[in-house]
């Protein structure tokens, strides 16, 4: 998808070393916190640290908590709620009881009114929240007392409780303010294990331990998140010992494998890369072309050559780790160009000048866009170009800015990334549903299928897990038949850590991570040996 964060210019390694001077500190005298400071590095800096404006909405934000959270298997557990919220028999009322004694970082008590305010702010059309459409089933949210929150839904929505990972903000600090521009967005107050110490744009975010955290005081005093956009600079600084952990591209991370000072963590994800094939393109509108491309691309070679083995071939939008994954749609990891050529022959695409196939005077030719700053997507686009050429389809790769990409998505293919390990509804409903056709990055290729629409709707309407699984199996089968996307690879997010770091617990990650929801989702429990 298009990034919602601001990509910043990388500072040089020398400058980075200067700005992090003083970040490290000696261990606590009594050893109670397991070390004063942990420094982690990522490429992506958020625009704001306000959950209402899309920060850390899937939990693990370090600064905020939701009514529910997720454990190391991504299973829902109680967060600010004392227990998992209760669902009424008709599926339209969800009731949550708050924990006793939870405080915000400023010492004020959390109440149900803070929860009500948070959700009403997301639903407020004057607030620039990208989450509003995710909560369009909410008819009302009320607080019958200081410890109870009641959500009334317009219609039953099976995964609603999973939406309650949204971090809760204090009503008193944002009431009556323009949330879009509030100072809170840069120095927020939450209930999470860490509070904000400072945020230097383009450099670092400094967090300090929340002594009052209801889940127990963090085992370290401070966390520094360094923002280093350049992959090579981030790797250099990791090797220089500046960071305790850093996310790196697979090829750069593999360079640390032989050094016992470090260890490389390759984390399974639901983060896929694929080519969106717009139906508005006259060549790609032909199902035979899309199916031929699906047979032509060599996913195994992409995983081995471009990801250094840190990934798996992808054949659909629901990851193999999901209980909703349908094994029947997983194909052969190797390409089958002969079968691809047979499909094109049967559909009337004959060999033309220069080896490019032609049908009714139209050459089998299209443009494949990718964000120019993303080296992996560039490599994948070039691999697709080479594989397509082998079967007589000419692809022109084009590295562009997002502003240049936006107006062309209805007619030109695009190398995209999406994916969630949580509920299939969270991404796929908007990405493949007809009602969202052509709405920006919601279904940008204007794919339409009555079968797909029906399956996606049943997947969110049905409470029964077996019925939901059947619906999503039908959804995956229909996508495999229609091929609105060329699903290429699932990534493994690769991190390098100092070998001395202990307490790391990987879990299946989403496409969107960074400060929130990365390997350091449980950094409050990390220590150094």
């Amino acid at each position: 998808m298009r990034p919602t964060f601001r990509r910043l210019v990388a500072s040089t390694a020398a400058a980075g070393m200067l700005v992090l001077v003083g970040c490290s500190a000696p261990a606590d005298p009594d050893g109670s916190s397991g070390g004063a400071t942990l420094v982690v590095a990522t490429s992506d800096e958020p625009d704001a640290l306000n959950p209402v404006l899309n920060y850390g909405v899937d939990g693990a934000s370090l600064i905020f908590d939701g009514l529910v959270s997720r454990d190391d298997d991504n299973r829902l557990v109680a967060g600010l709620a004392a227990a998992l919220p209760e669902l009424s028999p008709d599926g339209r009322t969800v009731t949550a009881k708050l924990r006793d004694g939870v405080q915000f970082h400023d010492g004020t008590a959390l109440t149900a009114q803070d929860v009500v305010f948070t959700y009403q702010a997301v639903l407020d059309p004057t607030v620039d929240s990208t989450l509003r459409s995710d909560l369009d089933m909410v008819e009302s949210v009320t607080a019958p007392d200081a410890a109870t929150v009641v959500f009334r839904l317009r219609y039953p929505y099976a995964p609603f409780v999973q939406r309650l990972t949204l971090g809760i903000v204090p009503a008193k600090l944002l009431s009556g303010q323009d949330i879009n521009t509030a100072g809170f967005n840069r120095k927020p107050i939450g209930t999470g294990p860490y509070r904000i110490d400072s945020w230097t744009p383009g450099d670092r975010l400094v967090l300090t331990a929340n002594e009052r955290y209801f889940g127990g005081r963090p085992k370290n005093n401070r966390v520094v998140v360094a923002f280093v956009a350049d992959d090579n600079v981030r790797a250099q600084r990791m090797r220089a010992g500046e960071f305790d952990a850093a996310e790196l591209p697979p090829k750069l991370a593999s360079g640390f494998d032989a050094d016992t000072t470090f260890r490389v963590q390759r984390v399974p994800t639901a983060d896929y890369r694929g080519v969106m094939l717009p139906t508005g393109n006259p060549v790609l509108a032909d199902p035979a072309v899309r199916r031929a491309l699906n047979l032509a691309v060599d996913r195994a070679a992409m995983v081995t050559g471009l990801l250094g083995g840190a990934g798996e071939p992808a054949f659909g939008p629901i990851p193999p780790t999901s209980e909703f994954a349908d094994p029947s749609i997983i194909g052969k990891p190797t390409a089958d160009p002969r079968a691809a050529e047979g499909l094109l022959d049967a559909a009337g695409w004959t060999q033309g000048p220069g080896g490019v196939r032609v049908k009714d005077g139209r050459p089998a030719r299209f443009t494949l866009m990718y964000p120019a700053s993303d080296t992996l997507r560039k490599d994948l686009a070039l691999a697709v170009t080479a594989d397509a050429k082998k079967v007589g389809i000419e692809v022109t790769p084009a590295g562009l800015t997002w502003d240049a990409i936006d107006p062309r998505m209805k007619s030109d293919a695009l190398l995209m990334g999406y994916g969630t390990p949580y509920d299939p509804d969270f991404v796929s409903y908007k990405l493949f549903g007809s009602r969202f056709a052509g709405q920006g990055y919601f279904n940008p290729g204007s794919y339409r299928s009555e079968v797909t629409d029906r399956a996606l709707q049943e997947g969110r309407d049905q409470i029964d897990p077996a019925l939901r699984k059947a619906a999503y199996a039908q959804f995956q089968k229909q996508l495999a038949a229609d091929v609105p996307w060329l699903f290429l690879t699932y990534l493994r997010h690769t991190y390098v850590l100092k070998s001395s770091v202990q307490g790391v617990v990987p879990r299946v990650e989403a496409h969107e991570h960074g400060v929130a929801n990365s390997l350091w989702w449980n950094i409050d429990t990390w220590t150094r040996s």
Side-chain angles (χ1 to χ4, degrees):
M1 69 178 293
R2 180 176 184 168
T4 55
F5 44 79
R6 183 174 57 253
R7 289 195 177 273
L8 299 163
V9 177
S11 55
T12 64
M17 293 178 70
L18 288 173
V19 298
L20 285 179
V21 167
C23 286
S24 298
D28 290 342
D30 63 0
S32 62
S33 72
T37 299
L38 288 167
V39 184
V40 299
T42 185
S43 62
D44 304 327
E45 182 171 12
D47 290 319
L49 296 175
N50 186 340
V52 173
L53 301 179
N54 204 38
Y55 171 70
V57 295
D58 289 320
S61 73
L62 306 182
I63 306 164
F64 299 91
D65 298 291
L67 291 173
V68 299
S69 184
R70 294 185 184 274
D71 65 11
D72 54 2
D73 289 322
N74 281 326
R75 293 172 299 198
L76 286 184
V77 294
L80 295 178
L84 289 180
E86 297 179 359
L87 182 67
S88 64
D90 68 356
R92 292 189 56 198
T93 301
V94 177
T95 304
K97 295 283 188 179
L98 298 185
R99 290 180 184 268
D100 292 333
V102 177
Q103 296 181 348
F104 286 102
H105 297 151
D106 63 358
T108 59
L110 169 78
T111 72
Q113 191 53 48
D114 297 306
V115 180
V116 171
F117 176 86
T118 300
Y119 282 86
Q120 287 181 341
V122 171
L123 295 171
D124 184 346
T126 67
V127 176
D128 296 333
S129 177
T130 60
L131 306 175
R132 189 171 306 111
S133 60
D134 293 338
L135 296 174
D136 60 6
M137 75 294 296
V138 176
E139 183 176 82
S140 65
V141 51
T142 57
D145 59 58
T148 305
V149 182
V150 177
F151 297 88
R152 182 63 178 166
L153 308 186
R154 303 179 196 280
Y155 48 84
Y157 175 64
F160 181 73
V161 173
Q162 297 189 59
R163 292 292 190 190
L164 302 183
T165 54
L166 177 65
I168 302 305
V169 302
K172 72 168 190 174
L173 294 182
L174 284 169
S175 294
Q177 292 195 41
D178 180 354
I179 293 178
N180 302 317
T181 60
F184 181 94
N185 301 337
R186 301 207 63 80
K187 194 164 185 180
I189 289 176
T191 59
Y194 296 96
R195 56 186 176 82
I196 295 288
D197 180 282
S198 63
W199 181 7
T200 307
D203 176 13
R204 60 178 172 165
L205 174 68
V206 180
L207 308 173
T208 56
N210 177 10
E211 302 284 347
R212 306 185 185 93
Y213 188 52
F214 69 86
R217 186 199 188 282
K219 292 184 178 180
N220 38 73
N221 288 341
R222 187 164 65 160
V223 168
V224 177
V225 182
F227 303 116
V228 185
D230 187 280
D231 295 337
N232 290 303
V233 172
R234 202 160 61 257
Q236 291 166 8
R237 292 173 63 181
M238 183 73 213
R239 194 170 293 282
E242 289 188 58
F243 308 136
D244 292 289
E247 185 176 11
L248 292 173
K251 288 184 179 179
L252 285 175
S254 65
F256 290 80
D257 277 323
D259 190 335
T260 57
T261 308
F262 304 98
R263 71 178 185 273
V264 180
Q265 198 88 48
R266 296 173 173 88
V267 181
T269 78
D271 186 5
Y272 56 81
R273 296 293 178 271
V275 178
M276 179 277 294
L277 304 174
T279 58
N281 181 289
V283 172
L284 296 173
D286 188 337
V289 173
R290 301 197 303 271
R291 291 167 185 157
L293 286 166
N294 201 36
L295 289 168
V297 293
D298 193 339
R299 297 169 173 86
M302 294 176 187
V303 170
T304 302
L306 303 182
L307 301 183
E312 293 81 30
F315 298 92
I318 298 180
T321 54
S322 170
E323 63 179 306
F324 295 102
D326 182 1
S328 73
I329 63 97
I330 298 176
K332 297 178 182 178
T334 53
D336 192 346
R338 182 170 297 179
E341 289 177 330
L343 280 177
L344 293 168
D345 289 340
W349 290 92
T350 59
Q351 289 290 340
V356 179
R357 290 176 178 267
V358 178
K359 181 179 181 180
D360 299 330
R362 185 186 302 278
R365 180 182 294 133
F366 65 91
T367 297
L368 172 54
M369 305 183 292
Y370 62 88
S373 61
D374 191 318
T375 57
L376 176 58
R377 295 195 205 192
K378 176 183 179 180
D379 289 345
L380 289 169
L382 294 176
V384 170
T385 298
D387 289 341
K389 183 178 181 180
K390 295 173 184 176
V391 299
I393 299 173
E394 182 179 310
V395 178
T396 302
L400 304 170
T401 65
W402 285 109
D403 287 341
I405 288 170
D406 285 357
R408 296 174 54 174
M409 292 189 295
K410 292 182 180 179
S411 59
D412 291 326
L414 174 61
L415 204 307
M416 299 183 71
Y418 269 110
T420 175
Y422 313 127
D423 198 273
D425 177 80
F426 283 11
V427 170
S428 291
Y429 185 73
K430 293 177 181 177
L431 193 56
F432 301 106
S434 297
R435 63 176 289 199
F436 298 100
Q439 294 185 26
Y441 287 84
F442 296 159
N443 194 353
S446 297
Y447 167 64
R448 290 179 171 85
S449 164
E450 291 183 4
V451 175
T452 295
D453 289 346
R454 185 164 55 251
L456 288 172
Q457 194 62 48
E458 289 176 358
R460 60 173 18 206
D461 289 347
Q462 300 290 345
I463 303 299
D464 185 332
L467 294 177
R468 298 195 76 213
K469 192 168 184 177
Y472 285 118
Q474 180 63 59
F475 160 65
Q476 292 167 82
K477 289 181 174 71
Q478 193 62 41
L479 279 193
D482 294 340
V483 196
W485 275 53
L486 296 179
F487 295 97
L488 302 176
T489 63
Y490 277 100
L491 309 185
R492 284 181 178 262
H493 293 161
T494 48
Y495 300 87
V496 176
L497 301 98
K498 288 182 178 176
S499 296
S500 58
V501 174
Q502 304 296 317
V504 179
V505 182
R507 62 182 184 181
V508 180
E509 293 182 359
H511 170 63
E512 290 195 358
H513 52 299
V515 174
N517 239 13
S518 292
L519 183 65
W520 37 83
W521 68 274
N522 71 328
I523 199 169
D524 57 308
T525 68
W526 288 16
T527 59
R528 293 196 194 93
S529 60

